[in-house]
Amino acid sequence: VGNRDDSNLYINMKLKAAAEIGISANHIKLPNTATEADVLKCIASLNADPAVHGFIVQLPLDSDKPINTEKITNAVAPEKDVDGLSSINAGKLSRGDLGDCFIPCTPKGCMELIRQTGVQVTGKRAVVIGRSKIVGAPMHDLLLWNNATVTTCHSKTSTLAEEVGKADILVVAAGKAEMVKGEWIKPGAIVIDCGINHVPDSTKASGKRVVGDVAYNTAKEKASYITPVPGGVGPMTVAMLMQSTVESAQRFLEKFQPGKWAIQYNQLNLKMPVPSDIEISRSCVPKPIEQVASEVGLLPDEVEPYGQTKAKVQLSSLNRLKNQPDGKYVVVTGITPTPLGEGKSTTTVGLVQALGAHLHQNVFACVRQPSQGPTFGIKGGAAGGGYCQVVPMEEFNLHLTGDIHAITAANNLVAAAIDARMFHELTQSDQALYNRLVPSVNGVRKFSDIQIRRLQKLGINKTDPAALTKEEINAFVRLDIDPSTITWQRVLDTNDRFLRKITIGQSPTEKGFSRTAQFDITVSSEIMAVLALADGLDDMKKRFGRMVVASSKKGQPVTADDLGVTGALAVLMKDAIKPNLMQTLEGTPVFVHAGPFANIAHGNSSVLADKIALKLVGKDGFVVTEAGFGADIGMEKFFDIKCRYSGLRPHVVVLVATVRALKMHGGGPAVTAGVPLPKEYTEENLQLLANGCSNLNKQIQNARLFGVPVVVAVNAFKTDTKAELALVVQKAKEAGAFDAVECTHWAEGGKGALALARAVQRASQAPSNFRFLYNVELPVVDKIRLIAQQVYGARDIELFPEAQEKVVVYTKQGFGNLPICMAKTHLSLSHDPEQKGAPTGFVLPIRDVRASVGAGFLYPLVGTV
């Protein structure tokens, strides 16, 4: 602060020393008008900057405003206080915690000079003259904790010469020229002179010379070692500052390098019978989310808390960790779902609780955020269940951090832009549209970047708005959308059946331009799929721009970029792209991010959450994610879509099954919500179970198609018999599973999934020859056929005329090389939800094919889904 010559001289010395040894050093200079608040603000910024490993506040503060120096030095974060002047570092030094603090640089340099003499400090009598916070007091503590017998003297000491004469080690920092006389010094003593004083000297051009606090010429005759002034302690002080900065960087790396986490796990208070999910969730006291973040190696400035139990994680963390090896990647999937439930979410949470709280592995769960539609419907929430939950469940299942609301806003912005553009094109001339799209501001017209991209798409290589011809203006301003081709619908995250088909444009202001439209559920929006597959803000923005919303009357695709809304979408989604951090009941970390449905989209949580988690857990850790519905749907899309775009390679598939659900696949009777289960599901029936294992076998085969080891998790219910559980384990192993284990985590938490966790550990060491099912370069129909035949068990496919036409159109438009995302019922391997088990020989009907170009896939509509 200010512009003192001596301060500038000291700072330049430090900058020069830093440059010589490769430390990046900067001088932040505040004017002498700076207030205390200005200085504190600057310090707070440096405290929060992970790129800064240490900083000092050059004293004295040369400001014409009153500034409390003590307050300023104590504002420096102790872990960055390389000058060692904060009260916390001073306190640790005084208590002897030398390995957990920074020592002021001058005393540290003095101690290093003493060590360099080779004289042992232990047992020696040391005298320190001076008691300042910068030199004297810390020097006393440092000598004391190095086992010297220390006396501190000062200006009020009456027997100073006598005390000096006893010293084997003498450190002088009194600030008084040549105060200590040579005759006072004990023969053979080590003398460290920290003083810098100016005395008159007519022989010097400046009229003065620099001397220390010790009369050097006489003292050197008696001392065994003595530091000169200048050139003694000063350079060592600078050297120690450099050393402390390096130590700070090393501590930073040790603390934030992926390695074994120092994590506090929560103890479960298990009760029988198991209480309701909400009772269990509310009985848990979650750790503060900042603590969870710190435990897993996230920096404070990488975490944006939303209250006490959830936080956004900055994408900058991925860049910081980019050179760290990834952990093991595990995907949890299931047999074909039934109304009886398989418990994939519960198993995902149980597995991470077992790996983390019980086997003490670094482990992250990465799961989807649930839609309010199912949450308020029959299905309910998706936080897991029993003693395996993400908590608090209300936060998880409802608004969380508002990502779904952001998607709703962004999606409906596009929908509004479509109808507004059609209205204006129908009611205005080319020139009027042009004047609105490229307005004159202070007499100057200028194309925006997105408008330049549209011109280039049209083959118009001009940047001057005045240079366009009438024909070019016409092409530029008119998207000429064919209303019958609009595929973009409005969305709402509520099941409101009366909005499934509506008429819009009935207000008189719309001049009779009405059309039939509809509302979909928010999580079905392509924006949700883009969020889940994007690998960064820039990639998300590019994907938004590619989203096709309709076709022109000439059959050309109309994109969000054509509408000019790409930037606005990115702004609306800039926070939603950051993964949400939460925790399980047992205190293991969870990323909750994105929630695309698995029937009409790819059904997996975000690529970004997985990538950050894989870096945080380190090479020996685990990331467990969940794929929606059965292995034929969510898992296939996880491999062929998500892994294709992310570049990540999975190590293990966990396939979840239950005795009850397999009995239904074996021909068991239908079940009705609220009605007691038929006896087939509550009594032992090995034949029915064996029949249903055909579905388990097929789903194991489906996982093995991709070359990844499969571990089957058999979720046990109290009505299951030992013989039934043993039969499922046997059938799974016969079908080629790496292992199959019984699980009781719903009732016991992580402890009940220990066998599963150990099996996953073993499987992760087995060879994983991961491969995609198909090459995206294949024709669209061939890719659909491969999925139908190899994954579903179909004999062939049948494309309806509309589907055939779409395949031709999309191939012509350049979208034929996109992956395939089959939209079919999740209740059967076939297109018929009534066909349980593992049906074969059927022909799969493809009713239509649609494109999510921004997300990056084509989705065929199978049957009546």
Side-chain angles (χ1 to χ4, degrees):
V1 177
N3 196 32
R4 285 175 60 115
D5 290 339
D6 55 350
S7 291
N8 286 329
L9 177 64
Y10 297 145
I11 290 167
N12 287 334
M13 288 170 55
K14 293 163 186 174
L15 292 174
K16 182 181 177 183
E20 285 176 356
I21 62 173
I23 290 177
S24 175
N26 296 302
H27 178 194
I28 299 175
K29 197 168 185 178
L30 300 180
N32 67 352
T33 56
T35 64
E36 184 176 275
D38 294 332
V39 181
L40 290 172
K41 183 178 179 181
C42 184
I43 289 173
S45 174
L46 294 170
N47 284 341
D49 187 349
V52 175
H53 299 113
F55 65 96
I56 67 170
V57 178
Q58 184 67 44
L59 301 177
L61 299 169
D62 178 28
S63 174
D64 58 13
K65 304 290 192 301
I67 296 180
N68 184 329
T69 301
E70 184 81 2
K71 186 175 182 180
I72 295 300
T73 54
N74 282 325
V76 179
E79 65 273 15
K80 295 188 178 186
D81 175 28
V82 289
D83 240 355
L85 300 182
S86 70
S87 296
I88 290 177
N89 278 319
K92 287 183 176 181
L93 174 59
S94 69
R95 293 193 319 181
D97 297 336
L98 304 189
D100 188 34
C101 69
F102 285 112
I103 299 165
C105 299
T106 298
K108 187 176 183 180
C110 293
M111 202 68 215
E112 184 61 30
L113 287 169
I114 295 168
R115 287 195 190 98
Q116 291 295 325
T117 67
V119 174
Q120 293 296 314
V121 176
T122 298
K124 294 294 188 293
R125 183 179 290 276
V127 172
V128 178
I129 301 177
R131 52 185 172 179
S132 74
K133 295 177 182 178
I134 296 176
V135 182
M139 193 71 235
H140 173 280
D141 294 336
L142 199 53
L143 285 163
L144 180 66
W145 293 112
N146 278 275
N147 303 308
T149 300
V150 188
T151 300
T152 296
C153 299
H154 44 77
S155 60
K156 305 298 184 196
T157 302
S158 58
T159 56
L160 185 59
E162 182 183 335
E163 296 294 340
V164 169
K166 299 174 185 177
D168 301 312
I169 299 169
L170 176 65
V171 181
V172 187
K176 190 173 181 181
E178 299 183 330
M179 179 183 72
V180 176
K181 309 306 178 186
E183 58 267 24
W184 297 359
I185 294 170
K186 180 179 178 180
I190 298 170
V191 179
I192 307 294
D193 188 353
C194 302
I196 296 180
N197 308 283
H198 294 90
V199 296
D201 188 340
S202 59
T203 66
K204 301 291 183 182
S206 64
K208 57 187 178 181
R209 62 187 171 90
V210 177
V211 298
D213 290 353
V214 178
Y216 180 80
N217 290 329
T218 55
K220 70 179 181 179
E221 301 301 325
K222 299 191 72 174
S224 59
Y225 296 93
I226 186 169
T227 57
V229 178
V233 172
M236 283 302 295
T237 299
V238 175
M240 291 304 101
L241 176 63
M242 300 301 110
Q243 186 182 78
S244 292
T245 305
V246 172
E247 288 173 2
S248 177
Q250 288 173 329
R251 292 177 191 176
F252 175 87
L253 285 174
E254 288 168 7
K255 183 176 180 181
F256 294 107
Q257 280 275 72
K260 271 292 181 212
W261 293 341
I263 189 167
Q264 172 192 322
Y265 297 108
N266 298 332
Q267 295 294 316
L268 295 178
N269 180 22
L270 302 177
K271 294 181 180 179
M272 292 298 292
V274 176
S276 68
D277 290 349
I278 190 71
E279 286 180 78
I280 293 172
S281 176
R282 288 179 174 174
S283 71
C284 167
V285 179
K287 296 177 289 187
I289 200 64
E290 291 97 333
Q291 178 184 336
V292 177
S294 177
E295 287 174 343
V296 303
L298 288 164
L299 305 182
D301 75 316
E302 292 170 344
V303 181
E304 299 175 9
Y306 279 59
Q308 296 295 311
T309 57
K310 54 191 177 179
K312 284 283 187 187
V313 173
Q314 294 273 10
L315 303 189
S316 58
S317 59
L318 187 56
N319 186 57
R320 174 174 64 86
L321 298 165
K322 63 184 177 184
N323 294 323
Q324 300 301 329
D326 288 345
K328 301 292 194 302
Y329 198 24
V330 180
V331 60
V332 176
T333 185
I335 61 172
T336 302
T338 70
L340 294 169
E342 290 67 57
K344 291 197 308 298
S345 299
T346 305
T347 300
T348 299
V349 176
L351 175 56
V352 297
Q353 289 182 168
L355 284 166
H358 298 269
L359 297 181
H360 304 293
Q361 301 293 305
N362 292 357
V363 62
F364 240 105
C366 292
V367 298
R368 289 179 294 167
Q369 179 184 357
S371 162
Q372 280 184 187
T375 296
F376 287 108
I378 292 174
K379 179 182 180 294
Y387 287 103
C388 298
Q389 296 186 53
V390 181
V391 290
M393 68 176 293
E394 303 101 308
E395 301 285 350
F396 177 92
N397 283 319
L398 299 177
H399 304 282
L400 198 57
T401 57
D403 294 351
I404 292 180
H405 301 315
I407 292 167
T408 302
N411 182 98
N412 293 345
L413 177 68
V414 178
I418 293 169
D419 287 304
R421 186 59 173 263
M422 289 195 299
F423 174 80
H424 289 303
E425 287 187 24
L426 287 167
T427 57
Q428 296 187 44
S429 66
D430 290 354
Q431 192 60 48
L433 284 169
Y434 194 55
N435 291 341
R436 284 176 177 244
L437 290 169
V438 193
S440 175
V441 180
N442 296 324
V444 178
R445 283 190 176 190
K446 186 179 179 181
F447 289 125
S448 63
D449 290 342
I450 199 168
Q451 290 174 332
I452 294 289
R453 290 200 298 271
R454 171 148 176 80
L455 289 168
Q456 291 170 346
K457 180 179 177 180
L458 294 169
I460 303 171
N461 296 312
K462 296 178 181 178
T463 57
D464 179 5
L468 267 63
T469 66
K470 287 184 177 181
E471 292 75 16
E472 289 170 339
I473 288 175
N474 174 268
F476 173 75
V477 301
R478 296 203 177 272
L479 301 180
D480 202 22
I481 293 171
D482 180 351
S484 68
T485 66
I486 295 172
T487 55
W488 197 271
Q489 308 297 344
R490 287 162 173 81
V491 297
L492 187 69
D493 199 41
T494 302
N495 284 346
D496 188 345
R497 64 188 306 127
F498 288 91
L499 293 177
R500 291 176 184 174
K501 192 167 186 178
I502 59 172
T503 301
I504 60 173
Q506 293 189 325
S507 168
T509 57
E510 311 318 314
K511 302 179 181 178
F513 296 109
S514 63
R515 67 180 182 92
T516 300
Q518 67 188 59
F519 271 83
D520 295 333
I521 196 82
T522 294
V523 293
S524 71
S525 170
E526 186 174 352
I527 290 176
M528 174 64 89
V530 168
L531 174 67
L533 290 170
D535 68 3
L537 190 59
D538 288 342
D539 181 49
M540 180 176 71
K541 186 175 179 180
K542 289 175 184 175
R543 288 173 179 268
F544 285 159
R546 294 196 297 265
M547 293 187 306
V548 175
V549 301
S551 294
S552 71
K553 291 172 182 174
K554 293 181 180 178
Q556 295 300 312
V558 176
T559 66
D561 231 25
D562 292 326
L563 287 168
V565 297
T566 306
L569 298 180
V571 169
L572 284 170
M573 294 292 293
K574 67 180 177 63
D575 292 318
I577 197 171
K578 303 167 191 172
N580 304 296
L581 180 66
M582 294 188 76
Q583 62 192 290
T584 67
L585 282 167
E586 295 193 51
T588 58
V590 181
F591 274 139
V592 186
H593 198 216
F597 279 164
N599 49 5
I600 55 174
H602 66 289
N604 286 269
S605 58
S606 79
V607 165
L608 279 168
D610 290 1
K611 284 188 171 184
I612 295 173
L614 284 164
K615 295 298 183 187
L616 288 171
V617 299
K619 67 183 180 68
D620 297 321
F622 291 82
V623 170
V624 181
T625 189
E626 178 190 341
F629 295 138
D632 56 308
I633 298 183
M635 183 198 71
E636 184 271 321
K637 295 171 182 178
F638 171 81
F639 289 142
D640 278 325
I641 299 176
K642 184 176 181 180
C643 290
R644 196 185 298 270
Y645 281 121
S646 70
L648 300 174
R649 297 295 178 261
H651 294 81
V652 184
V653 170
V654 173
L655 185 68
V656 183
T658 64
V659 167
R660 302 190 312 179
L662 289 171
K663 284 180 177 179
M664 179 169 281
H665 281 294
V671 296
T672 305
V675 176
L677 290 176
K679 63 182 178 60
E680 286 85 352
Y681 300 113
T682 58
E683 297 176 3
E684 184 174 288
N685 191 326
L686 296 177
Q687 186 57 54
L688 193 64
L689 179 60
N691 293 343
C693 282
S694 62
N695 186 271
L696 174 66
N697 296 349
K698 176 57 178 165
Q699 299 290 31
I700 292 171
Q701 292 169 22
N702 284 341
R704 296 187 69 200
L705 277 174
F706 297 90
V708 183
V710 185
V711 174
V712 173
V714 187
N715 269 350
F717 286 74
K718 62 182 180 181
T719 55
D720 300 339
T721 67
K722 289 185 178 180
E724 288 176 326
L725 293 168
L727 178 62
V728 177
V729 169
Q730 174 194 332
K731 291 289 188 182
K733 291 179 178 178
E734 289 173 355
F738 177 89
D739 203 352
V741 295
E742 177 187 339
C743 303
T744 54
H745 46 273
W746 179 80
E748 297 181 347
K751 177 184 173 184
L754 272 171
L756 174 61
R758 293 190 177 105
V760 167
Q761 282 183 302
R762 293 193 302 272
S764 72
Q765 303 300 322
S768 176
N769 303 307
F770 176 69
R771 55 188 174 270
F772 299 121
L773 181 65
Y774 54 82
N775 186 325
V776 289
E777 302 296 325
L778 288 174
V780 173
V781 174
D782 290 355
K783 289 182 283 192
I784 296 172
R785 183 176 286 111
L786 272 171
I787 297 171
Q789 292 178 333
Q790 295 198 33
V791 178
Y792 305 156
R795 176 170 56 83
D796 203 351
I797 61 174
E798 177 190 2
L799 266 70
F800 287 19
E802 188 173 358
Q804 293 177 19
E805 181 183 333
K806 290 287 186 64
V807 168
V808 172
V809 169
Y810 291 143
T811 302
K812 182 180 177 182
Q813 291 177 341
F815 307 141
N817 291 342
L818 293 176
I820 301 299
C821 182
M822 300 289 275
K824 82 169 187 73
T825 179
H826 58 288
L827 297 174
S828 172
L829 283 161
S830 74
H831 57 285
D832 181 357
E834 300 303 318
Q835 289 194 44
K836 304 300 181 185
T840 58
F842 58 91
V843 175
L844 195 74
I846 309 300
R847 177 167 51 88
D848 195 3
V849 178
R850 295 179 185 169
S852 287
V853 179
F857 51 74
L858 300 178
Y859 60 103
L861 302 181
V862 179
T864 57
V865 66

